[in-house]
Structure formats: structure tokens, C-alpha cells
Amino acid sequence: MIHLASSSSSVAALSPVILRCSTSNARILPSRSIKHRRRRFTLRTSTHLHPQPLCCSLSPSSASSTPLGQSNSATQMQNSLMYSRAYWVSKSIIAWNVDIGDDVCYLLASKDAALCIENYEIQGEDVKIKLEEDRAGLPANVVEKFPHIRDFRAFKLPPDLDVKPLLKCQLAVVIYDSAEKCKNCTGLQLPGVIDELFSYNGPLGALFSEEAVSLYLWAPTAQAVRAYIYSDSSGGSPLEIIQLEEDNGVWKTKGPRSWEGSYYVYEVSVYHLSTLSVEKCFANDPYARGLSSDGSRTYMLNIDSDELKPEGWDNLSNEKPHIDSFSDISIYEMHIRDFSANDLSVNPELRGGYLAFTLLESAGVLHLKKLSGAGITHVHLLPTFQFAGVDDRKENWRYVDTSILESFPPDSDQQQALITAIQNHDGYNWGYNPVLWGVPKGSYASNPDGPYRTIEFRKMVQALNRIGLRVVLDAVYNHVQGSGPFDEHSVLDKIVPGYYLRRNTDGFIEHSTCMNNTASEHFMVERLIVDDLVHWAVNYKIDGFRFDLMGHIMKRTMVKAKNALHHLTKEKDGVDGSSIYIYGEGWDFGEVAKNGRGINASQFNLFGTGIGSFNDRIRDAILGGSPFGHPLQQGFATGLLLQPNDHDYGTEVNVETMLAASVDHIQVGVAANLRDFVLTNYEGKEVKGSEVLTYDGTPVAYTSCPTETINYVSAHDNETLFDIVNLKTPMNISVAERCRINHLATSVIALSQGIPFFHCGDEVLRSKSLDRDSYNSGDWFNRIDFTYNSNNWGVGLPPQEKNEKNWPLIKPRLADPSFKPQKNLILASVENFLNLLRIRYSSPLFRLRTANAIQQRVRFHNTGPSWVRGVIVMSIEDGHDGFPELSQLDPIYSYIVVIVNACPKEVSFAMPSLKSRTLQLHPIQGNSSDPLVRSSTYDMSSGCFVVPHRTTAVFVEPRDI
Ligand SMILES: *[C@@H]1O[C@H](CO)[C@@H](O)[C@H](O)[C@H]1NC(C)=O
Ligand SMILES: *[C@@H]1O[C@H](CO)[C@@H](O)[C@H](O)[C@H]1NC(C)=O
Ligand SMILES: *[C@@H]1O[C@H](CO)[C@@H](O)[C@H](O)[C@H]1NC(C)=O
Ligand SMILES: *[C@@H]1O[C@H](CO)[C@@H](O)[C@H](O)[C@H]1NC(C)=O
């Protein structure tokens, strides 16, 4: 164990190197301020103070408000150190988009961050190195890694320069004119050179051996690192303060095994570009496995300890529900707190937490068992890692008395006023505010201190697996909540400032995700993501991962993650990684759009990877418009053309075309959104899926195989399915009709090729009282009732901040009592949903495994210009005597026909192509308690179908009739 040294070895190590540089290399000019420099050096090494820069103390936020006009160029120059517009991309190259003409360019370094510009003079440097422009420009590998700076000029560093110590300094590149005046100046972004010199694959975090605990922290730009060890989760003075030793960017120490169960914090002394100073930052371990209840200390948890294992844990992989193929997956998305916060059959202490899943007779678990029995294979949990926005200490939560909330009218603004007044102090948040990826969220544990998070999380996974459900975690690697040296939620940016977060060409953090974006194109960010996934897969036996804003992560990272997971084996790792499925949001926007920062994991780029992405095309075509469009825009299921509301779509012909195009989009989606699936479009042309275009002209289809699409109409984002249907349908239709629409929309998803995805509550007509973004709307708006008594419609106007604009549309709907579904409708909805799942799992034909199989077997019949409007007709063929070239997949049915009638009236039509097949209504629908679906008919001699209004009818051809 190394106790606190009286002088910092790393700081001391830096000075001889710099002196060597400045004496041995002719290109390094003697500085005008050697005396000044020496003096400050002495000061530092003797006192360990972290001096503030002598000037230039403006912060970047004040910089952005400084006008950058010509008239103010001296100020502009003075502020220029707050930007990082140059890139140190490799050991020998700095990239900067400047034209230096006859001027000269230097790299300046100051170990105690003393660089300062005044009157076009720069001072405070310890080192000054002349750079030569390389007219050949940036090398190809640099352009590939940083495509957004491809046109920058390349400046060469001296070949014998000792780069590593310089990276611990404040750095700037400067252009001097012939009069030695500073003409231009900026700070540097370092990830390129850091990756070249410090990419590291060795141990990180706390490692436990028989006798010792070793700590490893990757922090190549840090000047010193200390660990404070505490016996308790808060308060008290440290048991020990340990100086870590650096070995090529990795800081290490070793302590006794008795450290296990204690708490620790790192103190990192490092230059921060956001403050232009060397700061002492107190940070958690990025590889933390446990935390204190207030989140400020890392809990030293040995994840392999037997004491953390629920009974049977080691054997859980043998109990995992069986899955033959990823194409058999169907997903149910749920929030841990929503699941039981409102469940009166759960002991109040356990409501809203991990352990609620272990109560086998609770209303919620009974509901999950029904879903599992009917076919749902995976429960996808919204963020479960340590996130900001909910205090882990329940004793700090604030509540609103529900009896008061219940006393207000259904369209009142009182409920939301009371809820939002405490929204940052209650127990509710979706959790898309990552603080530490590797630690289970404390607010869901019975005790946020110590090992309980881990034990209880494992019990949850085990309980879900035991009722036949695999567990998917929502992984939010694209952004983090905090940054900078001081924020309590900042971790990564305290340890290697500027490295983990993606920055723009001015050097400021990108925030297109609405938070601090991460940069998986940097080696150690990618490594952290992959390590974290493997950690959850191995240590919590997780069965799948959903990636938030996956398009903000590089494709390379996703493929690496997939391979790392798939290489886990039961023998070696205790889990079978080949059954872990991954998918995410492949949106392409912000700085990463169009491969702006490298090839990203967006929908089109993922073709052929086997990684799924959410299919917004089928969602928008079914519901109408888009989550970014006008809320009243209708779609196939919500009445476009067939039962119009008063939204203006232009001419009648226009609306007809919109409906026809929507049906094409849906058909492509039903055929797993395959890029090369050939179908007849509404104009009667044979086209591929990729030739069917969305309204903005991009191809609808983008997958190579069925498991690359996640088909859905609703998720946690935006209005619930029931709510969006209530917005888009005309005011005067009945609630029973709206329930049919809810079911019709779900049916398309449930009977599609590819992977169906459902939002928790689609099946119980869940409402959030029309809230379009309930991430912080408390238990009240997110309430779900597994006793099926109510659906949470009309519990007040949804929170003002996100919904006020739509209040005029919302108010009359909430006020109208006829919109509220009674229990019988909720029960019918549950039954209909379970029946859809049972139908999907009644035949492998609904879950075809390859693109070829889908092309050969799936056909759409009601296509081309003469189509019956509002009706989709799909058949799926299996091998049989009349069709010997197809193999036989289904022992029971040789042919299936699905008819989706979105019209508000019965349709009756003949399909010559389906004549003389021996079809009958699917037995599950024959026994349905919905009299309408039971009345669907087919006449073999004429090939004529009759399907009631807003009904999805499934016909099957049994093999031995
Ligand atoms: C200074 O450099 C920036 C690039 O970082 C460039 O855009 C700007 O034009 C330069 N200013 C002058 C005065 O050369
Ligand atoms: C673990 O599973 C194996 C194989 O299924 C079985 O033989 C063994 O008894 C189980 N052990 C425990 C402790 O349940
Ligand atoms: C980034 O981090 C800072 C500091 O922690 C925080 O205040 C800010 O809200 C974050 N930025 C965004 C866009 O979320
Ligand atoms: C839908 O959700 C997304 C993600 O939260 C959000 O950006 C968008 O504004 C929402 N749209 C509407 C209409 O609520």
C-alpha cells in the first residue's frame, strides 16, 4: 500500500522532460519568461497547490456571449484559449484549419495552466515548439477517424518530441506574424493522440484477489491521483488517503482485502479545458460496481462474492426460458416503478422496486404470467443503471396526496400543477440521465447503501426468468448527465476531461441528444461501453440490450459489442451469449448524421449486422403523421380518408394517395422491412422495399433479415397508443370504436414478420391523460392498473411544459365522459391482445427466420390501383403437396391469410388469387369473445371474404381437413 507521498511524483517527473525538450531541440525557442516559468514550477512542486491562471479566467459560457466582431478582435484573441479548435490527432500531427501564409505556428504548453494572451502577446508557456505545415494534408487513417476535420491542415511535430508529459498540460497552438504578434490561437482536442499513445486493454476498476484489492484508473492526462478510502457511505474522515502511481496513463494502488465493503472516491488533479485550470476533481470510479446512498462514494463491491448471490443464481442459465431463434422474440417494454408503484397487492415497502417482481401472486406478476403464457418472450426495462433525477434515499422524496388529486375534474390543470411542483423531488423519472452505467439504480433497492442493489437486482432477473421472461436492459451510452470538474453527476469528464464527450469544432460538448453526448469513436469510450455490456450480461445474466439513440454510437462499437456478447459461454462465463439479442434506436440526426463522425449505428448502416432497429415507418403509417408532425394527422388505422377528422390534408386525391402510400409502407414493414422484398405498390408497379419512399424521399426498407427490424406503434416516448388514437380520431366516434382501433394497430405489429415490440399498457388501454412526454410526470400520469379497473384516462390536463400547446385539443376530450373506457372494454382489450400473441405463436409462419423465406412465402393481394381501400390482405404459404418447392415449417397449417380491415364499415370482396383454398377462421378467433371477429367469413367457391369493420381476421388452411 502506498500512503500519501509528500511530493507528487508525476508532477516532478514532468519538469525534466520539458527542460530536455527545450534545450535539446532547436525548434523550441527559448521562452521570454524562463524565470517566471521556473518560479512557478518551484511553487508547484513544493506546495501542491493548483494555481488558477493569472488571467484568462473567463468561462466558455461567458465566451459565447462575447460578441466576436472585428471591432473587438483583441478581446476575441484573449478569449481564444477557451476554444479548442485544433486537434492533436496523432503523435506527430496537429490538425488546424488555418492558412498560415508566411507566418509561423507553435505549440505551447503550460503545466499549471498559466497561458495568457494580452495585447496580442501570449505568456505563461513552459514549452514552445515550432510546427511545420505538411502540405500533403491529413493522413487517411486520421480522416477516417475524424471525418469532420478532413479539410483541416496538417502540422508536423518534431519526431523526437516526448509527447506524453505534454498531454498533462494546458496546450495551445499559436500563429505569430513576422512582428512576433499573436495572430491566432486556440486550445487542442486530444482524443486522437491519446488513443494512439494510451489505448489500454488491461484491468480497470477494483479487482479482488485472495489477499488484496487493486484499484486501476485510466487517466493519462492527470497530474496526480489519490484515493480516499472511507468506512461509511457518508460522513467521517477517510481511513486512508492513498497516492496512486502512474504506469503509462493507468494509475494504480493495492490495498488489503479488508477494503472490501468500504467506500472510495478519487481525487484527480487534471487540466480542465472548461475552466482553463488544473482542478482537483472528486470522482467516482467509472468502473464502479456499487455506490453510496447519496451517490458520492463508490462502494467497493466484489461482484463475484457468494454473499451477493440469491439461491440458485449460479444455475440460472439452466433455467432461462428457451429460445430457438431471435425471430421468435417479442418484446414488452416496461418501467420498474410503473410496474408496481400502483399495485395494492404489493407490500408498500416493495412497491416501485426490484423486489416487487419476486411476489408471485401480485396483480402485476399475474399479468406478466399471462403475457408470458401467450407468447411474450422478453421484458425490456427502462433505465436501471445509476441515473440522476431521483434521489436514491426514499426518505427525501416528496408526495402529493392522491385524494386531493382525485378531487379535481378530468380536464383540470390542478393535478399537473401539484405534480410538477414536486417532480424533481419525487421517486419518479424514466432514467435517461446516466451517471454510472455499471451500478444498479439505488432508488429501486430497499436500501441504496451497501450490496442490496446488486442482490435485489439479481432476484428480479431470476424471478422474471422463472416466469418465462427474458430480461432486456435499456442501455443509454449515447450521452451522460454531467460534465466538467464540479458537477455531482459528472464522472468521466472529471477523470479525462474532454476525452469521453464528443465535441464540436469549437471544442464545446455536443448535445444533440439533449444531454452531454459521448464519443464512442474514441477507443476508451468504446471499451467502456463493451466492458459495461459484458458486465451486465455476465454479472446480472441479462438477456438483451436496447440502445438509446444508437445512431449516436458508432457502428463499429455496436458490432464489437455484439461480438463480445456472443462470445460469452456457459462454461467460461456462466451465460450463453449467443442468445443475447441487441437492438436500438437507429435515428440519424445531429453531428453524427450522414456519417459525420464516422459510420454510425443508424438504420441504413446496420444492414447486415443482425442488430435490430426501431421501425418508425410502420409506426407512422399506422398511426399517421409522425411524433414530430401535427397531432391530428391520421394514418391507416386512425381514419385517414376512411373516417376523417377536420385536419386539412389538401385535395381528396392527395388523401387517397396518402392512404395508399401508408399501406405500402405498412406492407413493407409487415414483410420485416426488408430492403429487397419485392411487392406491387399502389401504382401497380413491382418494386423493392427500398424503392418505396417515405414522404421525405428516403427508402422505407432497410433490413437484410427479419431480426433487424423492431416493429412497433407505441413505446414510452410520446402519447400512449390509446391516447394517440383518442387524439387522431374524430370527436364523435364511440369509445368502443377507439378500442377497436387500438387493437387493430396492435394486430398489425403482432402479425408482422420481424420482432414485435409493445409498450406496457397497450393491452390495458393505458392512458397518461394525453401526456406526450411523461419522463418526469410522476406516478400520477404514469399510473397503470393491473386489476383492469381503470386506464388512467382523464386524470387532469397533462403537464404544462410539454403539453400546453395541445391543451386546446386535449381539454374537450378529457372533459367528455364518453371517452373513458369501462372495465369491460379493458378486459376485452387484454383478451384480444393475448389472442394476438397466441396466434403469432400458433404458427412458425408468423416468425420466418430469413429474408428468403419471407420473399418466397409472404404475399400481399389487395395491391395496385384497383385495391379495396383500407384493407390489407396478406398470405403466408407453407410447403404442401401443391407447393413442393417450399419446405414445410408448420405441422398444422399449410396456408395463412391475414385481413386487416381499417374501414369503419364491413367489407366484402373476392380475391381471385385466394379462390378454392380451404380456409377457415383461426380457431383462437373462432373462440374469441369478440362477436365481430367471429363473424368474419370466407367462401371457398367465390374466394369472397366478409370482414367486419375495424377487424383483423386470420384465416388458416389446416393440413388434414
Ligand atoms: C483563426 O483560426 C480559426 C480556426 O481555428 C479560423 O477560422 C480563423 O479564420 C483564424 N483567424 C485568423 C485571424 O486567421
Ligand atoms: C445446477 O444445474 C445442474 C444442471 O442442470 C444440476 O445438475 C445441479 O444440481 C444444479 N445445482 C444446483 C445447486 O441447483
Ligand atoms: C452537460 O453537463 C453540464 C454539467 O454537468 C450540465 O449542467 C448540462 O446540463 C449538461 N448539458 C446538457 C445539454 O444536458
Ligand atoms: C416524441 O418523443 C420524442 C422523444 O422523447 C420527442 O423528441 C418528441 O418531441 C415527441 N413528440 C411529440 C409530438 O410529443
Side-chain angles (χ1 to χ4, degrees):
M1 183 193 325
I2 306 123
H3 286 271
L4 175 60
S6 60
S7 77
S8 159
S9 54
S10 66
V11 169
L14 191 56
S15 54
V17 179
I18 286 178
L19 291 178
R20 183 178 58 76
C21 282
S22 57
T23 52
S24 69
N25 196 316
R27 275 166 297 201
I28 298 173
L29 297 190
S31 164
R32 281 182 295 260
S33 56
I34 279 182
K35 216 168 65 197
H36 164 79
R37 192 179 75 223
R38 288 247 166 89
R39 180 176 51 81
R40 209 172 308 115
F41 243 88
T42 325
L43 183 83
R44 249 191 88 69
T45 46
S46 61
T47 65
H48 302 283
L49 289 177
H50 299 281
Q52 298 299 307
L54 301 176
C55 55
C56 314
S57 56
L58 285 172
S59 71
S61 52
S62 56
S64 53
S65 61
T66 307
L68 297 177
Q70 285 298 322
S71 58
N72 206 1
S73 63
T75 320
Q76 187 179 333
M77 182 63 67
Q78 207 164 314
N79 291 347
S80 59
L81 285 171
M82 286 175 292
Y83 298 88
S84 304
R85 290 170 169 151
Y87 293 69
W88 196 336
V89 292
S90 73
K91 227 163 41 184
S92 54
I93 300 170
I94 287 173
W96 194 11
N97 62 336
V98 283
D99 185 357
I100 61 167
D102 295 332
D103 300 329
V104 276
C105 183
Y106 294 93
L107 171 69
L108 268 46
S110 163
K111 201 172 53 56
D112 33 5
L115 294 182
C116 177
I117 310 177
E118 232 163 344
N119 263 335
Y120 302 96
E121 301 251 352
I122 189 156
Q123 294 175 15
E125 75 274 17
D126 305 314
V127 179
K128 186 169 180 182
I129 300 160
K130 190 172 178 200
L131 306 177
E132 299 292 344
E133 185 173 352
D134 182 347
R135 301 269 164 202
L138 295 171
N141 63 333
V142 169
V143 171
E144 192 191 332
K145 183 155 173 159
F146 304 110
H148 60 301
I149 59 165
R150 62 164 55 86
D151 299 327
F152 278 35
R153 310 225 172 191
F155 294 91
K156 280 190 298 188
L157 291 144
D160 55 347
L161 184 69
D162 188 1
V163 170
K164 289 178 181 177
L166 293 178
L167 299 177
K168 296 179 185 298
C169 300
Q170 179 186 24
L171 296 166
V173 282
V174 184
I175 294 169
Y176 289 106
D177 63 14
S178 50
E180 292 234 6
K181 288 280 180 210
C182 175
K183 268 181 76 175
N184 209 342
C185 173
T186 189
L188 279 90
Q189 301 191 29
L190 305 180
V193 65
I194 289 180
D195 280 355
E196 182 174 326
L197 296 179
F198 293 107
S199 287
Y200 169 73
N201 282 305
L204 287 170
L207 270 81
F208 296 79
S209 69
E210 210 123 287
E211 276 108 42
V213 184
S214 304
L215 297 179
Y216 298 86
L217 181 73
W218 183 77
T221 61
Q223 298 185 355
V225 177
R226 305 199 293 181
Y228 289 56
I229 315 282
Y230 296 91
S231 60
D232 296 314
S233 71
S234 66
S237 42
L239 293 176
E240 293 172 74
I241 300 175
I242 322 257
Q243 181 80 47
L244 275 68
E245 292 212 322
E246 187 185 6
D247 176 5
N248 199 36
V250 181
W251 298 78
K252 308 175 184 180
T253 191
K254 203 178 237 190
R257 186 59 195 253
S258 59
W259 275 2
E260 184 174 345
S262 61
Y263 294 83
Y264 65 108
V265 181
Y266 284 124
E267 178 208 74
V268 182
S269 302
V270 64
Y271 172 71
H272 266 269
L273 47 154
S274 58
T275 58
L276 301 178
S277 308
V278 176
E279 306 286 2
K280 259 188 200 176
C281 307
F282 291 91
N284 279 303
D285 189 335
Y287 280 72
R289 297 301 178 236
L291 271 180
S292 61
S293 58
D294 66 358
S296 72
R297 295 176 185 173
T298 302
Y299 178 63
M300 216 176 287
L301 175 119
N302 176 10
I303 196 88
D304 296 322
S305 161
D306 283 340
E307 281 156 34
L308 305 178
K309 293 174 182 168
E311 205 181 322
W313 181 251
D314 283 332
N315 251 5
L316 189 60
S317 3
N318 299 329
E319 290 185 62
K320 291 258 176 206
H322 182 70
I323 186 127
D324 268 338
S325 155
F326 288 156
S327 50
D328 289 339
I329 290 174
S330 51
I331 300 169
Y332 184 74
E333 182 202 41
M334 190 164 66
H335 182 264
I336 288 185
R337 189 164 169 84
D338 288 351
F339 173 67
S340 63
N342 184 48
D343 189 341
L344 299 181
S345 64
V346 173
N347 172 342
E349 260 98 84
L350 303 185
R351 279 181 211 157
Y354 300 126
L355 291 179
F357 291 90
T358 64
L359 303 174
L360 295 182
E361 299 304 318
S362 72
V365 171
L366 291 175
H367 185 76
L368 288 184
K369 285 185 188 167
K370 285 179 206 159
L371 297 177
S372 161
I376 291 286
T377 58
H378 285 59
V379 163
H380 152 160
L381 299 172
L382 261 66
T384 58
F385 49 78
Q386 185 65 16
F387 57 78
V390 176
D391 194 322
D392 289 342
R393 296 159 296 187
K394 298 183 177 60
E395 61 272 22
N396 294 341
W397 294 352
R398 289 163 58 185
Y399 299 86
V400 184
D401 185 343
T402 43
S403 64
I404 296 177
L405 295 169
E406 276 158 3
S407 69
F408 299 117
D411 61 339
S412 162
D413 64 0
Q414 292 297 303
Q415 296 93 332
Q416 62 87 34
L418 291 170
I419 294 295
T420 52
I422 60 149
Q423 69 183 164
N424 297 327
H425 309 279
D426 66 356
Y428 199 88
N429 198 292
W430 280 347
Y432 292 93
N433 335 318
V435 176
L436 276 163
W437 292 320
V439 182
K441 176 63 181 163
S443 62
Y444 298 142
S446 61
N447 178 353
D449 275 323
Y452 303 97
R453 308 171 185 232
T454 295
I455 298 169
E456 294 174 10
F457 198 106
R458 286 174 167 177
K459 285 185 175 169
M460 170 182 73
V461 174
Q462 190 179 47
L464 283 166
N465 282 176
R466 284 179 174 169
I467 57 174
L469 294 167
R470 289 178 165 255
V471 179
V472 173
L473 298 190
D474 198 333
V476 187
Y477 296 119
N478 66 82
H479 65 250
V480 288
Q481 166 80 15
S483 62
F486 306 123
D487 192 298
E488 61 168 321
H489 300 304
S490 167
V491 178
L492 302 172
D493 203 43
K494 285 178 176 171
I495 291 169
V496 194
Y499 177 82
Y500 286 95
L501 305 181
R502 185 180 291 128
R503 287 179 291 154
N504 63 23
T505 47
D506 281 333
F508 300 128
I509 299 168
E510 294 280 7
H511 48 78
S512 53
T513 64
C514 296
M515 294 231 181
N516 290 291
N517 295 7
T518 56
S520 87
E521 57 275 26
H522 303 161
F523 182 89
M524 294 301 283
V525 183
E526 177 174 280
R527 176 178 165 187
L528 179 55
I529 292 172
V530 175
D531 285 352
D532 193 66
L533 288 163
V534 168
H535 156 63
W536 285 100
V538 170
N539 296 323
Y540 291 98
K541 303 190 193 286
I542 295 304
D543 306 296
F545 296 93
R546 174 266 188 196
F547 290 77
D548 190 57
L549 301 183
M550 180 172 60
H552 274 64
I553 301 172
M554 292 301 123
K555 172 182 173 183
R556 208 186 86 122
T557 309
M558 291 301 303
V559 170
K560 216 172 184 180
K562 181 180 173 219
N563 291 338
L565 291 169
H566 285 196
H567 279 101
L568 302 173
T569 63
K570 267 196 210 179
E571 297 65 40
K572 185 166 57 69
D573 311 286
V575 295
D576 171 17
S578 69
S579 65
I580 295 175
Y581 177 63
I582 65 180
Y583 57 100
E585 295 183 304
W587 322 136
D588 195 38
F589 69 96
E591 74 284 1
V592 292
K594 301 192 169 65
N595 300 326
R597 294 304 184 97
I599 299 175
N600 61 333
S602 60
Q603 289 168 329
F604 289 93
N605 286 345
L606 287 170
F607 180 88
T609 58
I611 296 169
S613 65
F614 285 93
N615 180 357
D616 51 341
R617 281 82 163 134
I618 198 169
R619 175 197 72 191
D620 292 347
I622 292 173
L623 299 179
S626 89
F628 305 96
H630 193 283
L632 291 188
Q633 247 177 302
Q634 294 174 294
F636 172 75
T638 56
L640 181 64
L641 181 71
L642 308 167
Q643 188 146 48
N645 56 20
D646 44 21
H647 187 70
D648 181 10
Y649 300 95
T651 64
E652 171 92 11
V653 176
N654 206 8
V655 192
E656 279 181 27
T657 310
M658 283 174 75
L659 179 61
S662 301
V663 167
D664 282 356
H665 295 190
I666 294 169
Q667 290 176 161
V668 171
V670 168
N673 214 27
L674 292 170
R675 190 178 76 179
D676 297 329
F677 182 81
V678 177
L679 75 165
T680 306
N681 73 4
Y682 71 85
E683 295 166 302
K685 290 191 202 130
E686 288 243 305
V687 289
K688 284 186 182 173
S690 58
E691 291 163 340
V692 177
L693 302 180
T694 64
Y695 301 108
D696 61 15
T698 51
V700 165
Y702 56 76
T703 71
S704 78
C705 66
T707 54
E708 284 175 6
T709 187
I710 303 287
N711 288 329
Y712 79 118
V713 283
S714 81
H716 66 275
D717 271 330
N718 304 123
E719 294 87 348
T720 67
L721 178 57
F722 182 82
D723 285 348
I724 199 79
V725 168
N726 277 270
L727 266 184
K728 289 178 187 288
T729 45
M731 288 288 286
N732 59 3
I733 72 169
S734 72
V735 61
E737 283 306 294
R738 295 205 182 91
C739 294
R740 289 198 82 78
I741 292 174
N742 204 92
H743 179 66
L744 187 95
T746 305
S747 74
V748 177
I749 300 303
L751 302 176
S752 288
Q753 305 295 326
I755 297 192
F757 174 99
F758 308 99
H759 177 224
C760 171
D762 286 354
E763 74 286 18
V764 294
L765 308 175
R766 179 182 187 178
S767 170
K768 296 176 181 171
S769 216
L770 291 167
D771 194 350
R772 71 179 181 88
D773 187 357
S774 67
Y775 81 101
N776 200 13
S777 303
D779 294 332
W780 181 254
F781 288 97
N782 287 293
R783 196 161 52 163
I784 182 152
D785 178 2
F786 290 124
T787 66
Y788 317 126
N789 280 305
S790 84
N791 78 332
N792 212 39
W793 171 265
V795 298
L797 284 171
Q800 184 172 9
E801 187 193 346
K802 301 268 179 173
N803 301 284
E804 190 178 15
K805 204 171 63 157
N806 290 337
W807 275 3
L809 286 175
I810 291 173
K811 208 169 161 45
R813 288 170 167 81
L814 294 182
D816 183 341
S818 79
F819 275 67
K820 196 169 175 64
Q822 298 307 305
K823 184 168 186 174
N824 63 325
L825 285 174
I826 301 174
L827 289 172
S829 170
V830 176
E831 186 204 313
N832 288 338
F833 182 78
L834 296 175
N835 282 346
L836 283 175
L837 292 172
R838 291 179 187 125
I839 291 170
R840 180 175 184 85
Y841 287 92
S842 72
S843 170
L845 299 176
F846 289 112
R847 293 166 282 125
L848 297 170
R849 295 184 182 183
T850 64
N852 256 345
I854 293 170
Q855 184 65 65
Q856 289 171 328
R857 293 160 190 264
V858 174
R859 294 265 174 290
F860 296 99
H861 297 265
N862 180 31
T863 57
S866 61
W867 70 304
V868 184
R869 278 192 196 121
V871 180
I872 293 174
V873 182
M874 169 183 70
S875 66
I876 317 172
E877 184 107 44
D878 199 12
H880 55 89
D881 293 346
F883 213 141
E885 59 270 44
L886 279 182
S887 61
Q888 184 187 314
L889 300 174
D890 185 334
I892 305 171
Y893 305 127
S894 52
Y895 197 66
I896 293 176
V897 174
V898 176
I899 299 181
V900 186
N901 175 17
C903 300
K905 58 180 187 0
E906 179 181 281
V907 289
S908 155
F909 57 95
M911 276 281 110
S913 53
L914 299 176
K915 205 171 148 184
S916 68
R917 311 266 341 196
T918 53
L919 294 167
Q920 59 182 55
L921 195 62
H922 195 294
I924 290 170
Q925 290 194 326
N927 291 319
S928 165
S929 58
D930 173 13
L932 283 175
V933 76
R934 285 202 313 267
S935 70
S936 312
T937 60
Y938 164 75
D939 179 65
M940 187 174 152
S941 57
S942 60
C944 183
F945 293 90
V946 178
V947 178
H949 71 277
R950 295 193 168 112
T951 295
T952 296
V954 182
F955 296 90
V956 289
E957 187 178 69
R959 285 188 184 277
D960 298 301
I961 203 159

